[in-house]
C-alpha cells in the first residue's frame, strides 16, 4: 500500500532526484502520509531526507539544501501501518551506522520478536515501524556484499515485503526483493528503475521485468541479475493515461474515460453471429470449465460489489450456482470446495493481499482458480490458472470508477461465455452482444448528466447520512454508490436491498435523511416504486436514478436523473455513472481530497 521507486543510471545522473520524485508522484495514490528518499551525494555519502504529508513537502525540504545528488536513489511514499505519521516513521530506514538504507512495502509480522533480539545485541532503533528491523538485520549480516546480507536477512522475516536497499559500503547498486508485495524493474536505454507499480516507470520505458515471490534482484549501472533469468514484458498502457490532462482530478478523468475503457475491453471479444464471447485467457481451461457447477467469487471493496453482480449474472445466464464472498473472510470459512468448483478472484491491481490469500487457499484444495484483473504480470495474473484482463488502462484515483465498470463488463462476457457452453440460446446471446456493442454510446449519453449531478450535489451537500436502495442487479450498485460517497466525501451511507428498510432502516428515515434509489425499468421496477412510497410516507427526501420515461418515479421522487434504456443485465453499468458523479461533486463541495481519501490507499497489499 506504499509506493517504492529506485533509480540507477549508467553514468551517475545528476538529475536522479528529479527523475525519482517524478516517478514517485505517480505512486502517491498508493500512500501519502509521508515521503522520503536516500541518495548518493558527490561527497560519496548517502543523504536521507523525509517529510510528513505529500511529496511536495519533501520537494520543498530538499530544494534549498544545496545537495549534489547522483544515483542510485531510493524513494518511498507511505501509508501508515505500524507507528503513527511522523518523520521518524517515514521511509527510508537505516541501520545504526547509517550505511544501509531500506524502503519497504508490506508487513513484517514477527518484527517485535526480531526487534527485541536485535536490541539485546546492541542495535538502536529510532522508529516504531516494522520496516526498521530489516535495516538492522542487513547490518548484522553485512560483510561487504549487500545482496548476500539481504539474502540472509530474508530468512528471518515472516510476512510480506517489497524491498529496495542501498549501502554506502557496497556502492553503485540497488538490491531488491519481494514476497507477496509487487515489485518490478524498468529497463530503459541508459538507466534502470525499480518500482512497486508500472505507472511509476511508464514515462521512461515499457519494457519491464516483474519479480516473483522469493526472488532477489541486483541492479548495477550496466545490468541486472536475478536468481533465475526472466523475459522482459511490454506494457500496453498509453503514457497519457497516467496523467490528469486538463481534468482537476483523476477521479473525474477516469469517470469520463469509461466509454473508451469499455470499448477497449470489448474489442475483439464479441462474436455477433454466434452470440458468444471470445476470451483467449480461458482457452487453456475451456474444457474444464464445462464441468464446473459452482463458482465462488472473491474480492474486496468495489471488486466485491462487482462480484455480487457476477453472482446474479452467472446464475441467470450460465445456470451455475454462484456465491460472492469478501476475500478477507473466504479462507476462514469451511467452504465446500471440490473438483467441480471454481474460484474467481477480482482485483484491479492483481496485488490485493486478501484476494491473493484466497487464491492460494483454493489452489491448495485443488480448485480451479480464475482471475479478473487490470494489470498484466501482476501476482494474481501469474498465480491463477487462467484469467481475463479488463484492459481499462491505469486507474490512479483511489475511488475506483472505470475499473469497476470494466470488471462488470468482464463478468458479463464471462457469463455469456459459460452460458453458451451450456444452455444459453444463440438468440439470447446475440441480444447480449448487440446491447454490449451499444454500451459505450449509452455511457456517453449518461455522462451528459454531469452538470445535473453537480447541481444535485449542491442541493444535498449539507446532509450527513444517505440510504442507497436497489433491487436485484441494482442492489450491488446501491452498495457501490454508498461506498463511493463514503470514501470520497467522508459521510455516512448505507447500501441496502430495496425490500429491507421496512425491517430496519425505515427507523432512520426523516426529513434530514435522504434516500438515493436506483429504479430502472426492469423486472423489479414496480417493487422499487413501492419502496419509494414507503420512504415518502415517512417524509424522506428521494433522489432517484431511473430509465427515461418513468412517470411514476417522476411523480414520487424529489429529484430524478434519467439514464437510457438497455437490457436488465447491463443496466447497472449505466446506473452507477450518476452515482459516481454525485459522489465526486459532493466531495469537491466538501473540500475533500478527491484522489487521495484520508486513511485509504489504492492497492491494499497488506491484510
Amino acid at each position: 500500500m506504499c509506493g517504492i521507486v529506485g533509480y540507477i543510471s549508467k553514468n551517475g545522473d545528476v538529475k536522479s532526484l528529479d527523475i525519482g520524485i517524478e516517478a514517485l508522484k505517480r505512486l502517491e495514490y498508493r500512500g501519502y502520509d509521508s515521503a522520503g528518499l536516500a541518495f548518493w551525494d558527490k561527497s560519496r555519502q548517502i543523504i536521507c531526507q523525509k517529510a510528513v504529508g505529500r511529496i511536495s513537502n519533501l520537494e520543498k525540504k530538499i530544494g534549498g539544501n544545496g545537495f549534489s545528488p547522483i544515483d542510485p536513489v531510493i524513494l518511498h511514499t507511505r501509508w501508515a501501518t505500524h507507528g503513527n505519521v511522523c518523520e521518524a516513521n517515514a521511509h527510508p530506514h537505516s541501520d545504526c551506522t547509517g550505511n544501509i538504507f531500506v524502503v519497504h512495502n508490506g508487513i513484517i509480522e514477527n518484527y517485535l520478536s526480531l526487534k527485541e533480539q536485535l536490541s539485546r545485541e546492541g542495535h538502536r532503533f529510532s522508529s516504531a515501524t516494522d520496516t526498521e528491523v530489516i535495516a538492522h538485520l542487513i547490518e548484522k549480516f553485512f560483510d561487504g556484499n549487500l545482496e548476500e546480507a539481504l539474502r540472509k536477512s530474508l530468512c528471518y522475516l515472516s510476512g510480506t515485503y517489497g524491498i529496495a536497499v542501498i549501502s554506502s559500503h557496497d556502492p553503485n547498486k540497488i538490491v531488491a526483493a519481494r514476497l507477496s508485495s509487487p515489485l518490478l524493474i524498468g529497463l530503459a536505454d541508459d538507466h534502470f528503475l525499480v518500482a512497486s507499480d508500472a505507472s511509476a516507470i511508464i514515462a521512461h520505458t515499457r519494457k519491464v521485468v516483474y519479480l516473483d515471490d522469493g526472488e532477489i534482484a541486483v541492479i548495477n549501472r550496466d545490468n541486472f541479475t536475478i536468481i533465475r533469468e526472466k523475459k522482459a514484458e511490454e506494457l500496453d498502457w498509453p503514457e497519457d493515461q497516467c496523467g490528469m490532462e486538463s481534468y482537476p482530478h483523476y477521479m473525474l478523468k477516469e469517470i469520463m474515460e469509461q466509454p473508451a475503457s469499455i470499448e477497449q475491453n470489448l474489442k475483439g471479444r464479441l462474436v455477433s453471429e454466434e452470440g458468444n464471447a471470445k476470451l483467449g485467457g480461458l482457452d487453456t481451461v475451456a474444457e474444464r470449465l464445462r464441468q464446473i457447477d459452482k463458482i465462488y467469487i472473491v474480492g474486496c471493496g468495489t471488486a466485491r460489489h462487482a462480484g455480487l453482480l457476477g453472482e446474479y449474472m452467472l446464475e441467470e445466464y450460465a445456470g451455475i450456482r454462484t456465491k460472492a464472498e469478501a476475500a478477507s473472510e473466504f479462507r476462514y470459512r469451511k467452504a465446500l470446495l471440490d473438483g467441480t468448483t471454481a474460484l474467481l478472484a477480482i482485483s484491479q491491481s492483481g496485488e490485493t493481499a486478501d484476494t491473493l490469500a484466497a487464491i492460494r487457499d483454493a489452489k491448495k484444495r485443488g480448485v480451479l482458480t480464475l482471475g479478473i484483473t487490470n494489470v498484466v504480470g501482476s501476482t494474481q495474473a501469474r498465480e491463477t490458472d487462467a484469467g481475463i484482463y479488463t484492459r481499462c488502462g491505469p486507474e490512479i484515483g483511489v475511488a475506483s470508477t472505470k475499473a469497476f465498470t470494466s470488471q462488470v463488463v468482464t463478468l458479463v462476457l464471462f457469463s455469456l461465455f459459460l452460458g453458451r457452453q451450456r444452455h444459453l440460446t444463440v438468440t439470447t446471446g446475440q441480444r447480449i452482444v448487440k446491447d454490449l456493442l451499444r454500451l459505450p454510446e449509452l455511457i456517453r449519453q449518461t455522462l451528459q448528466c454531469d452538470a445535473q449531478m453537480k447541481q444535485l450535489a449542491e442541493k444535498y451537500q449539507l446532509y450527513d447520512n444517505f440510504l442507497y436502495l436497489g433491487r436485484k442487479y441494482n442492489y450491488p450498485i446501491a452498495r457501490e454508490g454508498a461506498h463511493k460517497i463514503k470514501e470520497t466525501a467522508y459521510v455516512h451511507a448505507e447500501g441496502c436491498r430495496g425490500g429491507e428498510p421496512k425491517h430496519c432502516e425505515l427507523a432512520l428515515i426523516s426529513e434530514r435523511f435522504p434516500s438515493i434509489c436506483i429504479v430502472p425499468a426492469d423486472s423489479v421496477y414496480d417493487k422499487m416504486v413501492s419502496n419509494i412510497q414507503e420512504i415518502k410516507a415517512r417524509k424522506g427526501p428521494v433522489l432517484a436514478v431511473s430509465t427515461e420515461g418513468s412517470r411514476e418515479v417522476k411523480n414520487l421522487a424529489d429529484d430524478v436523473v434519467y439514464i437510457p434504456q438497455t437490457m436488465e443485465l447491463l443496466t447497472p453499468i449505466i446506473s452507477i455513472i450518476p452515482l459516481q458523479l454525485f459522489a465526486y461533486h459532493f466531495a469537491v463541495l466538501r473540500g475533500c481530497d478527491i484522489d487521495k481519501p484520508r486513511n485509504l490507499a489504492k492497492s491494499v497489499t497488506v491484510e
Side-chain angles (χ1 to χ4, degrees):
M1 292 164 70
C2 304
I4 291 174
V5 170
Y7 176 87
I8 184 169
S9 66
K10 291 186 176 179
N11 301 310
D13 195 335
V14 296
K15 296 181 179 179
S16 58
L17 288 193
D18 294 336
I19 295 170
I21 287 175
E22 180 272 332
L24 192 67
K25 284 181 176 178
R26 292 176 180 261
L27 297 186
E28 196 166 23
Y29 69 95
R30 294 177 65 100
Y32 34 86
D33 293 337
S34 57
L37 51 77
F39 60 92
W40 282 82
D41 189 72
K42 285 189 176 179
S43 63
R44 310 308 297 171
Q45 293 180 328
I46 294 181
I47 307 295
C48 182
Q49 296 286 296
K50 307 177 184 182
V52 171
R54 299 299 168 81
I55 296 171
S56 57
N57 295 340
L58 180 65
E59 284 185 288
K60 292 174 185 176
K61 187 171 182 178
I62 64 176
N65 283 340
F67 295 123
S68 301
I70 56 173
D71 56 81
V73 57
I74 55 175
L75 308 96
H76 189 273
T77 182
R78 181 178 185 239
W79 187 85
T81 56
H82 293 70
N84 60 15
V85 179
C86 61
E87 284 193 14
N89 290 335
H91 298 217
H93 290 286
S94 69
D95 65 333
C96 296
T97 65
N99 164 41
I100 293 154
F101 288 84
V102 177
V103 292
H104 164 234
N105 185 17
I107 290 179
I108 305 305
E109 296 171 351
N110 61 336
Y111 85 100
L112 285 175
S113 60
L114 290 172
K115 187 174 184 177
E116 290 173 3
Q117 176 62 36
L118 289 163
S119 295
R120 286 195 293 269
E121 295 174 5
H123 290 264
R124 302 179 307 278
F125 287 81
S126 58
S127 80
T129 68
D130 55 333
T131 299
E132 193 180 353
V133 299
I134 303 171
H136 290 280
L137 275 174
I138 297 171
E139 177 189 6
K140 175 179 179 176
F141 294 115
F142 187 80
D143 190 23
N145 184 279
L146 183 58
E147 57 265 34
E148 181 61 18
L150 177 59
R151 185 190 67 79
K152 290 179 179 178
S153 300
L154 296 180
C155 298
Y156 289 82
L157 301 182
S158 174
T160 62
Y161 53 77
I163 299 170
V165 192
I166 59 174
S167 167
S168 59
H169 295 166
D170 192 5
N172 300 316
K173 69 171 62 167
I174 298 173
V175 181
R178 73 153 278 172
L179 181 67
S180 300
S181 187
L183 213 59
L184 58 89
I185 304 169
L187 316 179
D189 292 337
D190 59 355
H191 61 270
F192 297 100
L193 283 153
V194 178
S196 51
D197 191 303
S199 60
I201 59 95
I202 195 69
H204 298 269
T205 181
R206 296 177 185 278
K207 189 174 291 186
V208 298
V209 172
Y210 290 92
L211 295 189
D212 285 331
D213 281 351
E215 290 187 329
I216 298 174
V218 183
I219 305 102
N220 298 297
R221 295 201 179 280
D222 296 320
N223 55 46
F224 71 94
T225 57
I226 302 178
I227 290 175
R228 67 174 182 267
E229 184 179 351
K230 298 176 73 67
K231 182 181 177 182
E233 301 180 41
E234 292 286 338
L235 295 171
D236 61 357
W237 290 356
E239 182 184 342
D240 58 5
Q241 286 192 12
C242 294
M244 276 198 290
E245 299 175 12
S246 60
Y247 289 96
H249 301 98
Y250 280 110
M251 183 179 177
L252 182 60
K253 174 178 179 281
E254 288 156 4
I255 290 171
M256 296 300 176
E257 286 177 340
Q258 288 175 106
S261 62
I262 289 174
E263 282 177 342
Q264 184 62 29
N265 190 325
L266 296 175
K267 189 176 180 180
R269 286 176 165 173
L270 296 175
V271 187
S272 298
E273 61 274 16
E274 297 176 13
N276 206 346
K278 181 180 180 181
L279 301 172
L282 302 183
D283 284 348
T284 59
V285 296
E287 289 306 311
R288 190 173 173 186
L289 282 169
R290 293 182 186 275
Q291 310 307 316
I292 295 299
D293 64 11
K294 186 169 185 179
I295 295 175
Y296 281 99
I297 304 176
V298 294
C300 298
T302 288
R304 187 186 174 219
H305 298 154
L308 289 169
L309 283 164
E311 183 178 307
Y312 285 100
M313 294 173 186
L314 286 162
E315 290 191 341
E316 182 167 356
Y317 288 93
I320 301 175
R321 291 176 298 155
T322 306
K323 180 64 175 174
E325 295 280 355
S328 58
E329 292 292 326
F330 180 76
R331 65 190 185 281
Y332 301 118
R333 60 170 294 172
K334 300 241 181 243
L336 300 177
L337 306 177
D338 56 33
T340 61
T341 304
L343 181 108
L344 174 61
I346 306 176
S347 167
Q348 187 281 139
S349 67
E351 304 292 350
T352 307
D354 288 317
T355 306
L356 293 174
I359 292 168
R360 290 160 185 161
D361 179 66
K363 288 177 76 73
K364 287 178 184 177
R365 298 163 73 176
V367 170
L368 175 66
T369 57
L370 309 169
I372 292 175
T373 186
N374 188 38
V375 182
V376 176
S378 62
T379 303
Q380 177 175 299
R382 296 197 303 274
E383 292 195 7
T384 48
D385 296 311
I388 313 166
Y389 289 115
T390 55
R391 300 175 175 175
C392 73
E395 186 180 67
I396 306 301
V398 169
S400 181
T401 52
K402 68 174 183 176
F404 172 71
T405 51
S406 291
Q407 288 165 355
V408 178
V409 168
T410 305
L411 284 163
V412 174
L413 293 171
F414 184 57
S415 302
L416 178 60
F417 177 82
L418 292 185
R420 292 293 290 120
Q421 276 192 335
R422 289 162 170 78
H423 307 296
L424 188 69
T425 66
V426 174
T427 302
T428 302
Q430 287 173 335
R431 185 187 169 204
I432 294 172
V433 169
K434 180 181 178 181
D435 276 28
L436 277 170
L437 290 170
R438 294 177 58 235
L439 192 57
E441 178 55 33
L442 297 182
I443 292 175
R444 287 189 184 95
Q445 294 175 22
T446 307
L447 286 168
Q448 294 176 13
C449 76
D450 181 43
Q452 182 186 7
M453 299 318 298
K454 183 177 180 180
Q455 291 174 351
L456 289 171
E458 291 171 351
K459 176 178 178 179
Y460 287 89
Q461 66 174 303
L462 298 181
Y463 291 97
D464 294 318
N465 300 280
F466 290 89
L467 181 65
Y468 284 69
L469 292 180
R471 280 180 177 259
K472 198 176 177 181
Y473 283 106
N474 281 291
Y475 159 59
I477 296 306
R479 290 185 57 138
E480 176 62 11
H483 188 93
K484 280 291 150 290
I485 202 166
K486 282 188 285 188
E487 66 182 337
T488 57
Y490 319 145
V491 296
H492 169 251
E494 295 186 40
C496 187
R497 291 178 172 90
E500 289 299 297
K502 55 183 172 285
H503 301 288
C504 177
E505 285 79 12
L506 280 182
L508 301 173
I509 296 301
S510 72
E511 295 173 349
R512 297 298 305 161
F513 201 130
S515 298
I516 298 180
C517 301
I518 305 114
V519 204
D522 58 14
S523 62
V524 291
Y525 173 78
D526 291 336
K527 298 295 184 184
M528 276 299 301
V529 168
S530 296
N531 299 145
I532 294 175
Q533 290 170 329
E534 292 167 353
I535 293 168
K536 293 305 296 178
R538 277 90 182 162
K539 299 182 179 180
V542 171
L543 191 169
V545 176
S546 191
T547 309
E548 294 165 347
S550 300
R551 294 180 180 177
E552 296 91 343
V553 175
K554 183 179 180 180
N555 294 332
L556 276 174
D558 298 87
D559 299 284
V560 184
V561 181
Y562 290 108
I563 59 174
Q565 177 75 54
T566 186
M567 67 185 302
E568 186 173 35
L569 171 68
L570 304 182
T571 299
I573 304 168
I574 299 175
S575 62
I576 189 57
I577 304 296
L579 305 187
Q580 292 173 344
L581 289 166
F582 182 73
Y584 170 76
H585 289 297
F586 195 94
V588 169
L589 289 166
R590 289 207 162 202
C592 299
D593 195 335
I594 307 301
D595 293 325
K596 303 176 182 69
R598 68 188 182 200
N599 304 330
L600 301 177
K602 181 69 174 175
S603 181
V604 185
T605 57
V606 296
E607 296 182 32

